[in-house]
Amino acid sequence: MIAYIKGEVAEITEDNLVLEANRIGYNIRISTGTAGRLPAVGEEVKIYTYTYVREDAFLLYGFLTKDDLEIFKKLITVNGIGPKGGLAILSVMTADDLRFAILAGDAKAIAKAPGVGAKTAERVILDLRDKVSIEDSLISREAALKAGKAAGGQAGTDAAAVARQEAAEALTALGYSATEALKAVKQVEIDADTDAEDILKQALKKML
């Protein structure tokens, strides 16, 4: 219904954004990850939205990128994961982290989200494994980097995510499966100075 809203940040809490556009203040449910990347109160931002309608409520869920919105829409197709559960998962991991967890079969990472148990996490993996790919992360890379730079401080995190993706791609090019590559890459400790080559070398050691 509403593709996006562009307006001024009026108020931010860990799970809600009030965005003023054309003299109307919109209450938008957000993840804590999104809350941490938003610009300051008084600044302008574009929020992609998902409209959730039920008998007793009309709710808006907001995201800084189309990629975040699309992964959220995939999450809520899973039985047992409603909009609240989708935001909970995206509060403890980025869209790329979630893809890695799904492809690597890492239910423990997904189960760290509040209210998401081990069985539900396994269901997420089972239902979405064929609906996500490393290529999805590559397509969203430029948008993620732009969002990070705009938020001031997230760019380093995005750069590390890109390096991890590149290392995983290199491993698959060497003949390893996507699952093997992702599991190895996830075991490598990454900081802001770690590049794809470093990750690849450490991952290969773990696979030998």
Side-chain angles (χ1 to χ4, degrees):
M1 295 178 67
I2 301 174
Y4 65 84
I5 302 173
K6 189 174 184 179
E8 182 179 296
V9 176
E11 182 182 328
I12 305 171
T13 65
E14 65 177 14
D15 61 0
N16 193 76
L17 162 69
V18 177
L19 190 65
E20 183 176 342
N22 298 320
R23 298 185 179 182
I24 299 174
Y26 294 90
N27 267 313
I28 304 173
R29 304 290 178 90
I30 57 175
S31 69
T32 55
T34 295
R37 292 160 53 201
L38 286 169
V41 171
E43 295 188 20
E44 189 176 75
V45 69
K46 182 178 182 179
I47 297 293
Y48 295 92
T49 59
Y50 175 82
T51 305
Y52 180 65
V53 181
R54 64 188 190 202
E55 290 183 1
D56 60 343
F58 183 97
L59 305 173
L60 286 175
Y61 292 83
F63 309 88
L64 281 169
T65 68
K66 285 184 178 180
D67 184 49
D68 288 342
L69 172 60
E70 291 306 313
I71 200 71
F72 173 79
K73 288 163 69 174
K74 286 184 173 70
L75 274 172
I76 61 176
T77 65
V78 178
N79 186 30
I81 299 288
K84 184 177 180 180
L87 280 191
I89 291 174
L90 292 176
S91 289
V92 299
M93 60 200 323
T94 66
D96 281 348
D97 285 338
L98 177 58
R99 288 192 188 94
F100 273 82
I102 291 170
L103 293 172
D106 189 354
K108 288 184 179 180
I110 300 173
K112 290 180 181 179
V116 178
K119 289 185 177 180
T120 301
E122 290 171 359
R123 191 178 301 125
V124 169
I125 293 170
L126 182 64
D127 288 1
L128 300 186
R129 180 170 283 163
D130 294 332
K131 298 179 181 179
V132 301
S133 67
I134 295 176
E135 286 71 24
D136 292 333
S137 296
L138 297 175
I139 291 171
S140 68
R141 177 188 301 174
E142 184 176 351
L145 288 172
K146 286 182 179 179
K149 291 177 182 177
Q154 183 70 16
T157 301
D158 289 329
V162 168
R164 184 167 59 178
Q165 292 165 18
E166 291 176 345
E169 289 166 15
L171 287 170
T172 57
L174 290 173
Y176 293 99
S177 69
T179 299
E180 290 173 329
L182 292 169
K183 283 184 176 179
V185 167
K186 283 182 68 66
Q187 293 176 27
V188 177
E189 294 187 7
I190 301 174
D191 58 36
D193 297 322
T194 307
D195 60 21
E197 185 177 354
D198 293 331
I199 298 171
L200 176 59
K201 289 178 180 178
Q202 294 182 55
L204 281 170
K205 289 180 180 179
K206 294 179 181 298
M207 300 179 81
L208 296 176

